[in-house]
Amino acid sequence: MKNCKMIRIICQVVLTILTGLSYQLSAQNAPLQNQQSEAVKLEYKYPADDVKYLNSTQVVQDMDINGQSMKVNVTNVLGCTIKAAGMQENNIRLEISIDTLDQTIDVMGGISGGPVKEAIGKTFSMTISPEGKEVDLSGAEQVTFVSGNGDNSNVSQYFNDFFPDVPAGPISPGFTWSSSDSSFAKTSSTTIKQLIRSENKFEGFEKVGEINCAKITFVLSGTQEMKTQSQGMDIKMYGPFTGKGELYFAPAEGYFIKQVVSTRLQGTLGMVSEGATFPLVMETNSVNEIQK
């Protein structure tokens, strides 16, 4: 296969993977009998005032193409403003504005991508539970754009797991819990499936700037599978991943202040129609934090 064609395919595949990533802890109810005097209940309750976030994700993918290393660097930046827009039964309605959305690919010195102008400045509503589970993303699905791989996309893929889940019951420092989750993302030509297992621990309280936060650490493992079409070919990417992360949640304010996640996937990229497979390693680092 010609190298230039392979480069185009890899660029499109990496962008597809990036927009479908969803690595974070999952929550489950905390057993009340394990709680102690320092127990705290973490619960979302965004104010009517603006809360700004900047989410920066960097992906480095290294592939072995017939004995030659091919490295791709992808950066995705999402900036948004969030504020409360009332209650819907027991859930929280939010108004979200897209301030920044930028996707850049660097492969073998060639840089492409840039601001996603169709999405910047758009506002939509979504609903989450007090524990951070996404209840209604229909508003985000209406904010559409054409992604770097030519797919018709929408911003729901960025907010499907934007809010880290927190346990429904009160928890105390030292409390640990295991959880599992799955995610599924689909566009006109692509499906991405993930199975995620998480070992979580409430480490205690720590200040981020002047804000007192509950610090939760987590260790991730799981599998990811992607199927897509590019350059007229059926492509499959699959493999196991491991990772870790930290979440800082402000109980008094009612929202998360910062989340840091890093993962490493060691898998295979298969060109189904060509009968060819290539080993790949993909490292992802993401920071989502409050902006003043």
Side-chain angles (χ1 to χ4, degrees):
M1 183 181 300
K2 298 289 187 180
N3 277 347
C4 59
K5 185 176 182 180
M6 175 63 75
I7 291 171
R8 289 196 300 270
I9 291 171
I10 292 172
C11 287
Q12 294 184 9
V13 168
V14 174
L15 256 184
T16 302
I17 295 169
L18 178 62
T19 54
L21 289 179
S22 166
Y23 298 127
Q24 61 164 283
L25 80 162
S26 301
Q28 64 182 26
N29 292 351
L32 295 178
Q33 65 270 22
N34 287 347
Q35 307 314 313
Q36 302 171 6
S37 59
E38 291 185 89
V40 62
K41 183 175 174 60
L42 307 181
E43 187 175 50
Y44 282 91
K45 48 183 178 182
Y46 276 95
D49 298 328
D50 291 348
V51 178
K52 292 183 176 292
Y53 287 97
L54 187 67
N55 187 347
S56 179
T57 302
Q58 293 185 323
V59 178
V60 178
Q61 180 172 291
D62 195 353
M63 294 185 59
D64 186 330
I65 309 296
N66 299 324
Q68 179 180 358
S69 175
M70 182 175 292
K71 186 170 289 188
V72 181
N73 295 277
V74 182
T75 301
N76 192 90
V77 178
L78 168 67
C80 64
T81 299
I82 299 174
K83 61 182 178 181
M87 299 294 291
Q88 184 175 334
E89 297 180 348
N90 295 323
N91 298 315
I92 306 159
R93 291 181 59 246
L94 301 173
E95 180 182 290
I96 301 178
S97 300
I98 307 295
D99 303 321
T100 303
L101 184 56
D102 190 280
Q103 300 173 338
T104 305
I105 301 178
D106 181 351
V107 53
M108 299 180 67
I111 298 177
S112 60
V116 182
K117 297 180 180 179
E118 302 100 311
I120 296 173
K122 298 294 180 63
T123 299
F124 63 92
S125 296
M126 68 176 290
T127 305
I128 64 172
S129 74
E131 293 78 41
K133 293 187 179 297
E134 291 72 20
V135 176
D136 183 2
L137 280 164
S138 58
E141 292 170 355
Q142 303 305 310
V143 181
T144 60
F145 63 93
V146 178
S147 68
N149 61 6
D151 272 350
N152 292 319
S153 300
N154 62 73
V155 299
S156 67
Q157 59 194 319
Y158 295 102
F159 290 91
N160 186 49
D161 283 295
F162 185 91
F163 301 92
D165 295 348
V166 294
I171 57 175
S172 299
F175 177 71
T176 61
W177 71 99
S178 301
S179 52
S180 60
D181 201 359
S182 61
S183 67
F184 180 80
K186 182 176 177 62
T187 69
S188 58
S189 62
T190 303
T191 60
I192 299 178
K193 299 177 183 179
Q194 288 180 309
L195 297 177
I196 306 166
R197 294 178 293 276
S198 180
E199 300 293 332
N200 316 297
K201 182 178 181 180
F202 178 22
E203 300 285 356
F205 296 94
E206 184 174 316
K207 281 196 171 183
V208 178
E210 298 299 317
I211 302 176
N212 193 41
C213 297
K215 178 182 179 181
I216 296 174
T217 58
F218 49 96
V219 177
L220 301 168
S221 62
T223 58
Q224 178 174 297
E225 178 184 292
M226 181 205 70
K227 295 180 180 179
T228 189
Q229 290 185 331
S230 178
Q231 304 290 313
M233 292 188 298
D234 293 325
I235 299 170
K236 181 178 180 181
M237 192 282 294
Y238 54 94
F241 66 84
T242 57
K244 61 181 180 179
E246 297 177 348
L247 169 66
Y248 298 86
F249 192 98
E253 285 74 8
Y255 48 83
F256 78 97
I257 302 301
K258 183 178 182 178
Q259 181 173 244
V260 180
V261 184
S262 61
T263 63
R264 187 176 193 271
L265 180 146
Q266 190 158 356
T268 302
L269 180 69
M271 309 295 184
V272 179
S273 54
E274 302 264 336
T277 59
F278 308 97
L280 67 84
V281 175
M282 185 171 69
E283 295 185 347
T284 304
N285 292 282
S286 176
V287 179
N288 193 1
E289 60 185 332
I290 289 285
Q291 300 294 295
K292 294 183 178 179

